[in-house]
Amino acid sequence: LEGQVEDCNCQVETVDKVNNLKLNPVLERLVQHSYFKFYPVNLVKPCPFWADDSRCALRDCSVAECKETELPEGLRGKSRLLDKNKSTDGSAADIKDDIDCQKYSNKNDVLGQIDSTLTDQDKRAFVGWQQHDNSEDNFCDIDDEYASDVMYVNLLLNPERFTGYSGESAHRVWKTIYNENCFTPVKSYEDIAVSGFTQGLCLEKRAFFRIISGMHASINIHLSAKYLLPGPLRLKNLYFAYLVVMRAVMKAAPYWEKFDFYTGNSSEDQTVKQLISDIVSISKSNCNGTFDETELFAGDTEKSLALKKEFRNHFRNISKIMDCVGCDKCRLWGKIQVRGVGTALKILFSVKNEAFNNVDKFHLQRAEIISLFNTLARFSSSIKEIHNFKELIKKRK
């Protein structure tokens, strides 16, 4: 595996060197920290496309939920809810002020109180408005962190690995993704998945296919590392997906500088902020300009907007397909990586550069940030596994 990464200004050899020696060690440290290891996820959302009749009963398919006492201070109870509206300057002043206000308020004094009750009709309207806003910017569905069906999972205790989940259920998920959502010409799922077919596709559709194919390759590597690797075309697509996500992290650098990765542990939060800064710095110094998102959706405005909408709708559809995965652990990591890529696409194609400096114009949910960096770490780890596999082959010769 060597040479140019198609549709990117970068060589495989360069990615290997930068990733394996510089970026991967920092990413592995980052995802060990509380902000990135506790993930809010809904694993009971029904499949919207077919009857969910093939749930995996194997022990390795299950996911262990975190108890509230296991969560960092910033994610527990009242603090967890208040963190949603925490000030952007990084302090916990909003939490303290809110508690103080409640402590000293006179419950019998109704003068000047705000009537915050909402009718069911109001609530339904808000949901519709929110869905419309999300459809304009988001490339995937995001679980509401504060909904009753959402649980917190410690990703370090529920790693991505082979669970035994396979057969028709797993095959149907990937078949639906490739056959119905990847802009490919009419071909069988087997031909598309194996060949990485992109001939005759425009840049935008090639990029979409390569991202999905690359993510698929990464998942396969983590499920079967040291035993079997995907073919060279799929591996090249992994490098492409890695560079796309990396570019998004670099583009959002101004946002990371202002963002407070709040967990309630100020020392750990500062360490996380420094690690993020290191990742951006390494990426900019070694991989800047490898993927140029401005080349996509350029040209005729009307056609470009229509293509971007189609691109976004296809990806949102794939994010919904993740709720059809019958293995909870596979569903968990499928959601994380689809959301991670979706967040990268949101940064690259829904946000103007100046918006990253304005919290009113750009905001990411906690789940989006966790997904983005865990996905980059997964892709990075997969590329490192490819190197390890090559070394293993050399030793056997």
Side-chain angles (χ1 to χ4, degrees):
L1 186 67
E2 58 186 14
Q4 183 82 16
V5 179
E6 287 78 4
D7 295 323
C8 284
N9 184 29
C10 195
Q11 301 287 316
V12 166
E13 294 82 357
T14 303
V15 175
D16 285 340
K17 183 177 180 180
V18 174
N19 177 74
N20 299 343
L21 298 179
K22 297 181 179 181
L23 263 179
N24 183 259
V26 184
L27 284 166
E28 291 299 323
R29 287 176 56 199
L30 178 71
V31 296
Q32 300 288 319
H33 286 278
S34 294
Y35 189 94
F36 290 98
K37 73 180 182 181
F38 292 106
Y39 188 69
V41 63
N42 184 348
L43 295 177
V44 296
K45 189 181 293 185
C47 172
F49 301 109
W50 56 76
D52 192 7
D53 54 0
S54 54
R55 303 294 295 173
C56 176
L58 298 173
R59 183 181 64 179
D60 289 340
C61 286
S62 64
V63 170
E65 179 180 359
C66 287
K67 298 178 181 178
E68 186 162 316
T69 54
E70 297 173 324
L71 297 175
E73 178 186 343
L75 299 181
R76 297 180 196 168
K78 183 67 175 176
S79 296
R80 173 186 166 192
L81 294 175
L82 288 173
D83 181 56
K84 187 177 184 181
N85 299 308
K86 189 170 62 62
S87 58
T88 57
D89 62 4
S91 70
D94 289 0
I95 294 177
K96 182 178 183 300
D97 290 346
D98 185 87
I99 294 173
D100 288 346
C101 285
Q102 292 181 29
K103 181 178 179 181
Y104 294 108
S105 65
N106 185 344
K107 295 181 180 179
N108 296 321
D109 183 7
V110 297
L111 181 64
Q113 284 188 355
I114 297 174
D115 184 354
S116 60
T117 58
L118 297 173
T119 66
D120 290 340
Q121 184 177 358
D122 291 333
K123 293 177 181 177
R124 286 194 296 271
F126 289 159
V127 170
W129 298 344
Q130 184 65 47
Q131 289 175 342
H132 176 269
D133 291 344
N134 288 344
S135 68
E136 295 300 305
D137 295 320
N138 290 346
F139 282 75
C140 57
D141 282 353
I142 304 293
D143 295 332
D144 181 359
E145 182 180 352
Y146 307 96
S148 59
D149 288 337
V150 169
M151 66 179 185
Y152 267 84
V153 174
N154 185 333
L155 299 181
L156 299 184
L157 299 180
N158 296 275
E160 182 183 27
R161 61 173 54 151
F162 179 71
T163 64
Y165 174 64
S166 59
E168 179 57 30
S169 176
H171 181 80
R172 179 167 52 179
V173 169
W174 284 111
K175 182 178 180 179
T176 304
I177 289 174
Y178 280 110
N179 278 1
E180 300 180 18
N181 295 282
C182 270
F183 298 106
T184 51
V186 180
K187 275 179 167 282
S188 70
Y189 159 66
E190 289 77 9
D191 288 342
I192 293 170
V194 173
S195 69
F197 182 84
T198 57
Q199 291 179 343
L201 298 180
C202 65
L203 174 59
E204 291 82 0
K205 294 181 179 181
R206 288 201 308 271
F208 189 100
F209 179 85
R210 285 191 170 125
I211 288 169
I212 300 302
S213 175
M215 181 176 65
H216 193 183
S218 178
I219 290 172
N220 281 353
I221 288 171
H222 286 290
L223 299 186
S224 57
K226 298 184 179 68
Y227 299 101
L228 177 66
L229 289 180
L233 288 174
R234 286 256 295 278
L235 292 180
K236 279 280 190 76
N237 291 338
L238 164 61
Y239 282 73
F240 178 84
Y242 170 80
L243 292 172
V244 169
V245 177
M246 182 192 295
R247 169 58 190 148
V249 170
M250 286 190 280
K251 184 178 180 181
Y255 184 75
W256 312 132
E257 291 175 6
K258 295 178 179 294
F259 190 81
D260 176 39
F261 299 88
Y262 180 76
T263 63
N265 184 330
S266 58
S267 175
E268 183 172 0
D269 296 347
Q270 190 57 43
T271 298
V272 165
K273 197 172 183 69
Q274 183 57 54
L275 289 172
I276 297 289
S277 177
D278 292 344
I279 290 169
V280 171
S281 178
I282 293 170
S283 301
K284 285 186 174 182
S285 299
N286 297 275
C287 301
N288 203 17
T290 55
F291 175 75
D292 185 2
E293 71 278 6
T294 64
E295 294 183 359
L296 280 73
F297 309 112
D300 183 87
T301 303
E302 186 175 343
K303 289 183 179 179
S304 296
L305 289 176
L307 182 57
K308 183 187 290 188
K309 183 177 180 180
E310 186 181 11
F311 190 105
R312 182 170 55 240
N313 289 342
H314 276 236
F315 201 88
R316 284 176 66 85
N317 219 37
I318 289 174
S319 74
K320 294 176 183 178
I321 293 174
M322 291 301 103
D323 288 316
C324 301
V325 177
C327 160
D328 281 348
K329 189 169 289 183
C330 307
R331 180 184 293 206
L332 167 67
W333 282 101
K335 278 176 170 279
I336 290 172
Q337 290 173 80
V338 169
R339 287 176 185 168
V341 173
T343 303
L345 297 175
K346 175 180 178 178
I347 291 170
L348 294 175
F349 301 119
S350 295
V351 185
K352 295 182 179 179
N353 288 336
E354 58 269 20
F356 294 112
N357 291 304
N358 190 332
V359 70
D360 294 326
K361 293 184 178 180
F362 178 72
H363 175 71
L364 291 176
Q365 296 182 28
R366 181 189 294 266
E368 291 178 298
I369 298 172
I370 299 172
S371 297
L372 178 68
F373 283 96
N374 267 283
T375 299
L376 183 59
R378 291 284 80 197
F379 290 175
S380 170
S381 177
S382 294
I383 289 173
K384 187 175 180 180
E385 282 292 350
I386 294 172
H387 170 77
N388 293 342
F389 189 82
K390 289 178 181 177
E391 293 300 310
L392 187 64
I393 295 298
K394 288 180 180 178
K395 290 179 181 179
R396 289 181 177 179
K397 288 183 178 180

